[in-house]
Amino acid sequence: SSWLHMTDDLDATTTMEAWDPSIKPNTTFSHAWGSAPANIVPRHILGVQVTAPGAAEILIRPQPGPLNWVSGTVPTIRGPVRVSVIRRPIFEIRVTTPPNTTASIEIDTRAFGVTASSLRMSAATADTTAVAVGDGVVTWSGIRPGTATITLTKQPV
């Protein structure tokens, strides 16, 4: 069972209290515990995590699994954090952070099937001189508010 089962097979418009009525016959189509996707998608798939009080620092570590694209906005007390990941036909990760924040972006190159040397960061308002590479993870830190884009220097053939 999955969330897709709820929407496709059971015509649910929100997440349900249980995966299927066979598991819990008195299940409802709207239940607080069934709202797990609202937490999982921003924190784990988009990878947005507040790492300092008041959202002064934010870590963005997208983990879209096999998805070819994902996009979303995560609210913080300082404003929205926008993340989009596109794998095909191009490779691009775009992050927009709100005023008065500092961000770090981590990319697990193994999960994306790219090499650290093939990634390029561009950001209009960033001091991205601090780049660390270790154990397949590339980290850009000290990113100022605004939009930062990570692309491949050479697209796969």
Side-chain angles (χ1 to χ4, degrees):
S1 291
S2 70
W3 295 305
L4 184 61
H5 166 67
M6 291 178 198
T7 57
D8 282 0
D9 301 335
L10 303 174
D11 295 323
T13 57
T14 64
T15 54
M16 296 169 46
E17 187 176 2
W19 290 114
D20 189 88
S22 65
I23 298 168
K24 187 172 187 289
N26 66 339
T27 192
T28 64
F29 286 101
S30 180
H31 192 270
W33 305 122
S35 63
N39 180 28
I40 291 170
V41 170
R43 284 186 52 217
H44 297 285
I45 296 174
L46 295 175
V48 176
Q49 297 176 20
V50 171
T51 56
E57 296 176 8
I58 300 166
L59 169 65
I60 297 109
R61 188 170 200 239
Q63 300 178 65
L67 297 174
N68 283 328
W69 69 270
V70 65
S71 180
T73 302
V74 180
T76 74
I77 196 165
R78 294 179 190 247
V81 176
R82 293 179 178 86
V83 178
S84 70
V85 177
I86 302 170
R87 287 192 182 172
R88 292 182 181 83
I90 60 166
F91 181 94
E92 178 182 276
I93 298 172
R94 184 174 298 239
V95 173
T96 302
T97 54
N100 299 314
T101 61
T102 301
S104 295
I105 301 174
E106 289 185 4
I107 304 298
D108 185 339
T109 59
R110 297 163 298 188
F112 283 96
V114 298
T115 61
S117 62
S118 69
L119 295 175
R120 180 183 68 212
M121 155 76 83
S122 63
T125 59
D127 284 336
T128 55
T129 54
V131 176
V133 179
D135 198 27
V137 176
V138 180
T139 304
W140 290 269
S141 57
I143 301 170
R144 293 182 185 169
T147 300
T149 305
I150 298 169
T151 55
L152 286 176
T153 55
K154 181 179 179 186
Q155 296 296 324
V157 179

